[in-house]
Amino acid sequence: MIVMKFGGTSVESAEAIERVAKIVASRGKRSPVVVVSAMAKVTDQLVAMGQQASSGNCEVALESLQALRQRHHLTAGELLGKKRAATLAPKLEARFSELENFLRGLAAVRELTPRGSDFLLSFGELLSSLIVADAFIVRGLNAAWVDSRECLVTDASHTRAVPQMAETRERCAKKIAPLISRKQIPLMGGFIAATAQGVPTTLGRGGSDYSAAILGAALDAESIEIWTDVEGMMTTDPRLCPAAKTIKQISFNEAAELAYFGAKVLHPATLLPAIHQNIPVYVLNSRNLKSTGTEITAQAPPSKDTFRAITAKTGISIVNVVASRGIMVHGFLRSVFEALDRHSTSVDIVAISEVSMSFTMETRRLPKALLTELEELADVTPEDKQAIICLVGEDIHGKPGIAASVFNTVAESGVNIRMISQGASEINISFVVQESDVPKAVRHLHEHFFPAAGQVKLGRTKVKTNGSPRRSQAPESKSRQTERKPLVAKSKSAERKAAGAS
Ligand code: ADP
Ligand code: ASP
Ligand code: MG
C-alpha cells in the first residue's frame, strides 16, 4: 500500500479536488491511503478567528466563520451535485455549530490555550476531508472517511505533539488495515491527532506531511507521496528565486536538513518515520498529473552541482549573552546551558567564547522567562528579524574552498553575515543574515551554485559550464564577512535529529 498526502492548495477548490480524485484513481491498484490538509488558507483563518474571539471581537470571528461556511458548502455543491451535497450538509453543519460554540466560549473566557488552539485548528482538516471523501465516492472511488484522532496517537504537547508510534500502529491495524483489505480507500485529515485519552492535538503547522509519514510507518507503506503545488523539492524556494530547478533524487539526510532549515515543502519531522523504516518519499505536483517530482531515499546519486539546495528560515532571533563584569567566568557557560535546559529551548546555531555566547532560535519559540533568567547572570541582547540561510550537500565534506566560495558570493551580493556554522552536520553550511537580505543573498547564491545552462562567469568567481564552481582563489580571510568577524559556530543538527525535531 502507499500513502498519498495532498496539501492545502491541492484541495483549495472543486477543480483542485477533481484533480486529486484523478491522481488517486491512477494509483488505485496500489491500495492508497489518502491524507488531506485543510483547504488553502483555512488554518490561517482559524488562527485569526481564535485571536479575534479570545480578544473579545466575537462578531468579527463569526463573520469569518460565515465566509468559511459558504466556501465549504459551495465547494461541496460544485463537486457533489445537489442531492449528495444535501446529504453532506448536515455533517458539515454539525462541525460549524461546534466551531461557533467554541468561538463564543473563547469570547467569554478571553483566553485561547494551546489545548484550545489544537481543538480550534482541527476543524480545517475535518471539513476538507469530509468533502474530499464524498467527492471520491461520487467519482466511483471506494473512499471511507476515517477520523484521524482515532488513529494517530500523540503525547499531550499541544500545538506540536509527538507521535506515540506503538499505540498509533495498534490503532491503524484496527481502524485502517481492515478497510484496505476490503479494497476501500481510507481518507482522513492530516495535521490532527489525539492523545491516548482522546484529547485533540496537532503536529505543528504544516503537519499533514508528518501525518502521512507517521501513517506510512505505522502501516508499513511501500512509499509515501507528498502532493503539493510545485514540481518537487527544488534547488531553492521558487517563490524566492524563479530559476529554482527540480531535484530529481535526494537523500533522506539532505532532505531532512533542507526541511529543518526552512524548505516549507516538507514539515521538518516528516522524514523521521520514513528514515526509520526506509520508506521512499516522493514530492510531486498535484497540478501536473504526470509529475515525476523528487525521490527521497536513503542514498541518492551524487549531485553534479556542489550543493543540492539552498534554504532560508526566517523569523529567527539571535540572543547575545555576555558575562557581566565581576561575574566569575568559570561556570558561565554551564549556567547559560542550564537555563536553556530549564526552559526546554532548542537552539539552531551556537557561537561560544570564554565570556560570551550567542545562539539563534525561532523568535516565536523564544520564552520571555528565559531572557529574564539570563539577564540575572549576563548582559543579554536579543535581535529579531534575522534569518538562517543554509546550503546543503552531501558531497561538500572534505572539499577545500567551498566555504570561501559561499562567503565570497554573499559578499558580492552586499549582504552582511552575522554568524556562521559549518561542521557538526557535515552536510550543510549555514549562516545568519538579516531577514530583509534573504532574497538578495539567496538569488545570488543560486545564480552562482546553480547557474543556468551555458553560464560561464558570475562576479569574481569563475564557474564551470557543467555547473560546478571552480575552487575560489580568494582566501576566506579576505572576504568582507570575515573582515567583519562573524561568529563561527557549531550546528546542533545532529542533536536535533536524535531528539526528533518537529
Ligand atoms: P502544501 O500546502 O502542499 O503542504 P506548502 O505551501 O506547505 O504546500 O509547501 C509548498 C511550498 O513550499 C512551495 O509553494 C514553495 O514555495 C515552498 N518551498 C520552500 N522551499 C522549497 C524547496 N526547496 N522546494 C520546493 N518548494 C519549496
Ligand atoms: N493545515 C495545516 C497548516 O496549514 C497543516 C498542513 O497544511 O499541513 O498548517
Ligand atoms: Mg505543507
Side-chain angles (χ1 to χ4, degrees):
M1 54 82 48
I2 62 171
V3 177
M4 306 176 76
K5 174 259 170 177
F6 294 89
T9 44
S10 306
V11 295
E12 68 186 352
S13 62
E15 198 189 340
I17 296 172
E18 287 274 6
R19 280 197 299 268
V20 168
K22 283 193 187 128
I23 293 168
V24 172
S26 75
R27 303 287 203 267
K29 291 210 174 79
R30 300 185 65 193
S31 308
V33 170
V34 178
V35 176
V36 294
S37 292
M39 294 174 80
K41 304 215 165 57
V42 167
T43 310
D44 287 343
Q45 285 159 2
L46 289 167
V47 170
M49 284 153 68
Q51 281 161 354
Q52 287 151 358
S54 59
S55 57
N57 286 329
C58 195
E59 289 316 308
V60 183
L62 293 180
E63 271 169 35
S64 306
L65 171 71
Q66 192 53 21
L68 214 61
R69 178 182 257 136
Q70 277 169 0
R71 178 175 175 195
H72 284 85
H73 281 298
L74 204 72
T75 310
E78 284 177 51
L79 283 164
L80 306 177
K82 261 199 184 151
K83 213 164 146 208
R84 181 91 201 190
T87 342
L88 179 64
K91 285 193 206 160
L92 299 181
E93 270 315 302
R95 304 289 173 191
F96 283 119
S97 57
E98 216 181 336
L99 178 53
E100 183 172 333
N101 289 339
F102 183 71
L103 291 172
R104 288 188 191 282
L106 281 185
V109 296
R110 303 274 170 111
E111 190 195 6
L112 180 55
T113 61
R115 185 170 168 156
S117 168
D118 278 351
F119 177 72
L120 172 66
L121 299 198
S122 70
F123 285 95
E125 270 69 10
L126 288 173
L127 291 163
S128 66
S129 58
L130 285 168
I131 296 175
V132 178
D134 264 22
F136 276 18
I137 292 168
V138 167
R139 280 154 190 80
L141 293 167
N142 194 5
W145 184 81
V146 175
D147 190 337
S148 335
R149 299 166 302 182
E150 292 177 3
C151 301
L152 264 68
V153 183
T154 67
D155 68 3
S157 346
H158 288 284
T159 74
R160 43 198 288 227
V162 179
Q164 310 289 293
M165 283 312 288
E167 286 99 326
T168 301
R169 207 170 247 283
E170 249 174 57
R171 299 271 189 104
C172 288
K174 228 202 254 142
K175 305 253 173 201
I176 302 177
L179 299 173
I180 303 173
S181 322
R182 291 204 295 271
K183 305 241 172 297
Q184 288 191 282
I185 301 177
L187 185 144
M188 65 188 90
F191 176 57
I192 53 180
T195 63
Q197 293 71 39
V199 179
T201 55
T202 63
L203 301 170
R205 291 303 306 271
S208 296
D209 304 329
Y210 195 19
S211 301
I214 295 165
L215 284 171
L219 292 161
D220 296 317
E222 284 158 39
S223 63
I224 298 160
E225 297 185 347
I226 307 291
W227 290 82
T228 182
D229 61 351
V230 285
E231 201 50 55
M233 282 201 106
M234 308 187 78
T235 47
T236 193
D237 186 344
R239 282 182 219 187
L240 271 182
C241 180
K245 299 184 263 189
T246 304
I247 303 167
K248 294 280 167 219
Q249 288 168 301
I250 186 169
S251 71
F252 281 141
N253 280 345
E254 289 170 319
E257 203 81 348
L258 290 173
Y260 184 78
F261 281 105
K264 187 181 169 233
V265 65
L266 282 184
H267 177 281
T270 306
L271 293 167
L272 295 171
I275 293 171
H276 198 243
Q277 277 168 247
N278 200 13
I279 304 172
V281 176
Y282 296 86
V283 181
L284 300 146
N285 184 357
S286 71
R287 292 179 178 151
N288 170 11
L289 271 56
K290 295 200 176 113
S291 172
T292 50
T294 302
E295 182 187 56
I296 312 172
T297 47
Q299 251 130 31
S303 161
K304 75 173 174 48
D305 300 306
T306 308
F307 290 105
R308 199 71 86 167
I310 307 168
T311 60
K313 186 167 168 181
T314 51
I316 297 291
S317 289
I318 299 180
V319 181
N320 303 301
V321 189
V322 181
S324 313
R325 229 176 258 263
I327 288 224
M328 290 250 297
V329 170
H330 172 77
F332 166 71
L333 290 175
R334 196 193 59 212
S335 312
V336 176
F337 279 114
E338 280 173 356
L340 288 170
D341 185 51
R342 270 194 296 281
H343 292 273
S344 313
T345 37
S346 86
V347 298
D348 287 326
I349 295 179
V350 191
I352 292 174
S353 79
E354 199 183 13
V355 290
S356 74
M357 173 173 156
S358 298
F359 62 86
T360 67
M361 63 183 296
E362 287 178 52
T363 309
R364 66 192 171 107
R365 294 207 174 137
L366 182 60
K368 284 220 169 57
L370 168 68
L371 297 180
T372 313
E373 200 171 312
L374 289 175
E375 272 159 9
E376 279 167 26
L377 49 121
D379 296 327
V380 182
T381 40
E383 299 172 65
D384 58 6
K385 299 210 172 358
Q386 307 294 314
I388 300 175
I389 294 184
C390 174
L391 292 96
V392 173
E394 239 160 23
D395 307 320
I396 57 172
H397 178 51
K399 284 193 195 158
I402 290 181
S405 187
V406 169
F407 299 129
N408 280 338
T409 308
V410 180
E412 280 161 8
S413 71
V415 168
N416 183 33
I417 295 182
R418 307 292 316 282
M419 283 171 83
I420 295 172
S421 155
Q422 187 199 0
S425 92
E426 293 190 350
I427 67 164
N428 91 50
I429 296 178
S430 28
F431 54 90
V432 181
V433 299
Q434 278 201 7
E435 215 171 68
S436 55
D437 283 333
V438 164
K440 203 171 13 164
V442 169
R443 276 184 214 138
H444 223 78
L445 284 164
H446 194 272
E447 228 176 280
H448 181 89
F449 287 104
F450 302 94
Q455 187 178 348
V456 205
K457 194 171 180 242
L458 185 136
R460 281 187 289 136
T461 320
K462 292 211 165 71
V463 178
K464 277 191 205 162
T465 39
N466 74 355
S468 316
R470 278 200 202 124
R471 242 208 275 163
S472 166
Q473 298 305 306
E476 211 171 310
S477 58
K478 290 269 165 63
S479 82
R480 192 160 139 192
Q481 284 69 41
T482 339
E483 277 159 25
R484 288 183 187 186
K485 292 205 177 62
L487 302 151
V488 179
K490 289 237 177 235
S491 154
K492 300 261 292 178
S493 62
E495 270 172 50
R496 187 193 68 236
K497 273 184 201 138
S502 85

